[in-house]
C-alpha cells in the first residue's frame, strides 16, 4: 500500500465517523510501515489505531555510522531547503537487500561476460539466461549477515523478522516491542530482564487506547447486531409477483410474500448470526418516497422491486441486482414472407439508404 493511499484511507475514515467508540482498527506491518507518524494530520486521524511495524535497529557499528553520515550529506546536497528526514523502514530494508545481493554475487564468483551484447530496450528476446543463475539463487537463499535493520536472514525465500514494533497511536504513540524469543516487552534492549516481559502482572500498565479514547475493547460486530430488530419498509402497492402484502382481519396480522421477499429472507438466513427483521407496510407514496424514508434514517432499509437509477443511488445504497425486468415489444412474426425484415422502414427510406451506401463507397 502506498503512503498516500494508506494515509488518505485513515483521514477519510475519520471524516465518515469510523474513528469513534465502537470501532477497532488493526493495521498490518505492510500498511503501517508506509505511515508517517510525524505527520500531525495523520496522527490525529489515527488516534486509537493499533499497528505492527517492522523495526529496523541501527547497530552501533562503523557501517551504520558511515551510512548515516553519507545519507545526511546526500540529503543536504540534493534537498538543501528541506529538513533532513531519517531513513524509514522500507529504505533500510532496500539497503540491506541490495547489500545482500552484492554479497551473494561475490560468493557465487560471478564474472562479467567478455562478449558484450547490445540489446535495445524492447528487444528482450536477445537476452540470454545466465549460467550462474542457479548458483546466485542458492547464495541469496543462504544470505545471513548483520545489516542496518538487524539480522538479515531468509527462510523459504522470505525475510525473517525477529522483532516487530506494536504501535498504539495516541499523540506520539504508545509502543510495545515483540521478539520471537522473549515475546512482548516495553523495552527492546532489556529482553533478558524478567520484569520487562509482557505478562498478566504487567499488562495493567499497558492499557490500549481504542478509537474514541476508549479503554474498553470494542465488542464484536456480531454481538452489537444481536438483540436489535431491524425495520424494513415494504410498499403496499407493487407488482404482486415480487412484493405482495396480505392483511388477515380475523387474526389481525399482516403477511408478506413474493419473489423479492423470498430473496431477502434467503439472504438473511445465510448470515452466520441471527438478525431480527420487522416488515412495515408503506401504503401512501411512491418508490421515491420509500427511498427518501430510508435516506432520512426513519427505517433501516426497504424490500421491494425498486429500480436502481442514478438519482436514487445518490441517497441510498442498493444491493446487487438479482433480476432485470426490462421493457420489450412482442410482435407476431410472419415467417412465410422472406422480406419481413424490411417492414420496420418505408420503401423510400430503404432506397435512399442504399443510394447513400453506394455513393459513399464510390467516393472512398
Amino acid at each position: 500500500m502506498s503512503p498516500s493511499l494508506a494515509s488518505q484511507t485513515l483521514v477519510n475514515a475519520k471524516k465518515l465517523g469510523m474513528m469513534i467508540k465502537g470501532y477497532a482498527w488493526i493495521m498490518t506491518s505492510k500498511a503501517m510501515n508506509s505511515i508517517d507518524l510525524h505527520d500531525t494530520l495523520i496522527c490525529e486521524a489515527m488516534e486509537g489505531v493499533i499497528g505492527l511495524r517492522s523495526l529496523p535497529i541501527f547497530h552501533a557499528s562503523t557501517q551504520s555510522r558511515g551510512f548515516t553520515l553519507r545519507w545526511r550529506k546526500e540529503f543536504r546536497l540534493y534537498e538543501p531547503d528541506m529538513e533532513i528526514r531519517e531513513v524509514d523502514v522500507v529504505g533500510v530494508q532496500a539497503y540491506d537487500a541490495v547489500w545482500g545481493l552484492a554479497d551473494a554475487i561475490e560468493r557465487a564468483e560471478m564474472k562479467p561476460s567478455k562478449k558484450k551484447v547490445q540489446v535495445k530496450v524492447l528487444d528482450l528476446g536477445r537476452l540470454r539466461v545466465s549460467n550462474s543463475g542457479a548458483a546466485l539463487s542458492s547464495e541469496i537463499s543462504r544470505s545471513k549477515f548483520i545489516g542496518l535493520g538487524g539480522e538479515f536472514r531468509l527462510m523459504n525465500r522470505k525475510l525473517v523478522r525477529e522483532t516487530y514494533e506494536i504501535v498504539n497511536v495516541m499523540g506520539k504513540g504508545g509502543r510495545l516491542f515483540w521478539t520471537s524469543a522473549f515475546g512482548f516487552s516495553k523495552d527492546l534492549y532489556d529482553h533478558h530482564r524478567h520484569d520487562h516481559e509482557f505478562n498478566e502482572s504487567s499488562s495493567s500498565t499497558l492499557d490500549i487506547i481504542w478509537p474514541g479514547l476508549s479503554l474498553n475493547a470494542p465488542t464484536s460486530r456480531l454481538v452489537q447486531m444481536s438483540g436489535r430488530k431491524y425495520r424494513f419498509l415494504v410498499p403496499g402497492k407493487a407488482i404482486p409477483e415480487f412484493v405482495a402484502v396480505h392483511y388477515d382481519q380475523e387474526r389481525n396480522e399482516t403477511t408478506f410474500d413474493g419473489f423479492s421477499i423470498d430473496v431477502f429472507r434467503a439472504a438473511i438466513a445465510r448470515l452466520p448470526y441471527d438478525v431480527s427483521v420487522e416488515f412495515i407496510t408503506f401504503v401512501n407514496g411512491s418508490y421515491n418516497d420509500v427511498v427518501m424514508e430510508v435516506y432520512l434514517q426513519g427505517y433501516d432499509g426497504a424490500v421491494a422491486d425498486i429500480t436502481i437509477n442514478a438519482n436514487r443511488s445518490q441517497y441510498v445504497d442498493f444491493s446487487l441486482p438479482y433480476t432485470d425486468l426490462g421493457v420489450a415489444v412482442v410482435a407476431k412474426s410472419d415467417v412465410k414472407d422472406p422480406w419481413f425484415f424490411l417492414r420496420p422502414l418505408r420503401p423510400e427510406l430503404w432506397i435512399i439508404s442504399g443510394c447513400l451506401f453506394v455513393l459513399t463507397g464510390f467516393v472512398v
Side-chain angles (χ1 to χ4, degrees):
M1 179 179 290
S2 64
S4 59
L5 179 59
S7 58
Q8 287 300 318
T9 299
L10 296 170
V11 172
N12 290 329
K14 184 177 182 180
K15 293 180 180 179
L16 294 174
M18 301 176 66
M19 287 292 181
I20 60 177
K21 185 177 180 180
Y23 285 86
W25 287 80
I26 301 177
M27 301 181 63
T28 62
S29 59
K30 188 173 183 180
M32 200 68 181
N33 288 342
S34 61
I35 298 293
D36 184 9
L37 295 179
H38 298 286
D39 191 321
T40 305
L41 179 63
I42 298 177
C43 283
E44 290 179 354
M46 289 181 61
E47 286 189 347
V49 173
I50 298 176
L52 294 173
R53 286 205 308 175
S54 302
L55 186 64
I57 308 171
F58 282 84
H59 293 271
S61 62
T62 305
Q63 180 187 10
S64 62
R65 288 193 295 268
F67 174 81
T68 303
L69 292 175
R70 293 195 306 272
W71 168 259
R72 293 179 177 178
K73 181 179 179 180
E74 293 290 332
F75 200 97
R76 290 194 187 98
L77 179 63
Y78 291 100
E79 300 291 344
D81 299 330
M82 291 183 61
E83 182 182 356
I84 297 179
R85 301 182 62 178
E86 299 299 332
V87 183
D88 58 6
V89 176
V90 179
V92 173
Q93 292 178 349
Y95 183 88
D96 287 345
V98 174
W99 186 277
L101 176 60
D103 182 63
I105 291 176
E106 291 184 356
R107 287 186 281 109
E109 298 181 353
M110 295 183 62
K111 297 180 180 180
S113 177
K114 297 181 180 179
K115 184 179 180 181
K116 296 183 179 180
V117 180
Q118 295 182 354
V119 181
K120 297 181 180 180
V121 177
L122 299 179
D123 191 12
L124 302 180
R126 299 185 60 187
L127 291 177
R128 296 181 299 174
V129 178
S130 174
N131 297 328
S132 305
L136 177 60
S137 177
S138 177
E139 292 297 335
I140 292 176
S141 300
R142 292 188 294 178
S143 295
K144 185 177 181 180
F145 60 92
I146 301 298
L148 294 180
E151 183 182 14
F152 185 93
R153 179 166 58 91
L154 299 177
M155 180 179 295
N156 297 327
R157 298 186 177 184
K158 293 183 179 180
L159 181 63
V160 177
R161 280 294 172 190
E162 297 289 345
T163 306
Y164 280 90
E165 180 183 26
I166 301 178
V167 180
N168 181 205
V169 181
M170 180 60 189
K172 294 184 178 180
R175 295 183 176 183
L176 293 175
F177 301 100
W178 177 89
T179 59
S180 59
F182 298 97
F184 290 98
S185 172
K186 295 176 65 177
D187 193 334
L188 177 62
Y189 302 101
D190 279 337
H191 285 295
H192 61 279
R193 295 180 55 186
H194 181 74
D195 57 343
H196 280 279
E197 294 183 8
F198 182 79
N199 48 43
E200 294 182 359
S201 61
S202 61
S203 61
S204 59
T205 62
L206 302 175
D207 293 330
I208 295 177
I209 304 297
W210 298 95
L213 304 180
S214 175
L215 295 176
N216 299 322
T219 57
S220 172
R221 187 65 178 171
L222 305 184
V223 177
Q224 295 178 12
M225 295 185 67
S226 62
R228 177 188 172 188
K229 180 173 289 188
Y230 291 85
R231 305 165 70 232
F232 285 83
L233 279 180
V234 177
K237 298 180 180 179
I239 300 177
E241 288 76 12
F242 285 90
V243 176
V245 181
H246 307 283
Y247 177 70
D248 191 342
Q249 295 183 354
E250 296 181 358
R251 298 182 180 180
N252 192 24
E253 64 178 10
T254 304
T255 58
F256 304 86
D257 56 24
F259 181 72
S260 297
I261 300 295
D262 293 340
V263 170
F264 178 80
R265 286 172 173 167
I268 293 295
R270 293 181 65 88
L271 294 176
Y273 44 85
D274 295 331
V275 178
S276 179
V277 176
E278 178 185 3
F279 292 128
I280 300 175
T281 307
F282 189 77
V283 180
N284 298 321
S286 62
Y287 285 153
N288 290 334
D289 296 329
V290 173
V291 171
M292 290 306 299
E293 288 291 334
V294 177
Y295 170 72
L296 296 175
Q297 300 183 2
Y299 302 89
D300 296 298
V303 181
D305 52 332
I306 302 177
T307 302
I308 304 174
N309 56 38
N311 183 42
R312 294 171 180 172
S313 298
Q314 295 179 357
Y315 298 96
V316 296
D317 293 328
F318 288 90
S319 65
L320 293 176
Y322 53 86
T323 184
D324 184 13
L325 294 178
V327 178
V329 177
V330 180
K332 183 180 179 180
S333 175
D334 189 359
V335 296
K336 297 180 180 180
D337 186 5
W339 304 100
F340 72 94
F341 63 90
L342 297 176
R343 292 183 179 180
L345 301 179
R346 297 176 60 183
E348 294 84 354
L349 186 57
W350 281 115
I351 295 174
I352 295 175
S353 299
C355 294
L356 290 176
F357 178 77
V358 174
L359 179 61
T360 303
F362 178 77
V363 173
V364 174

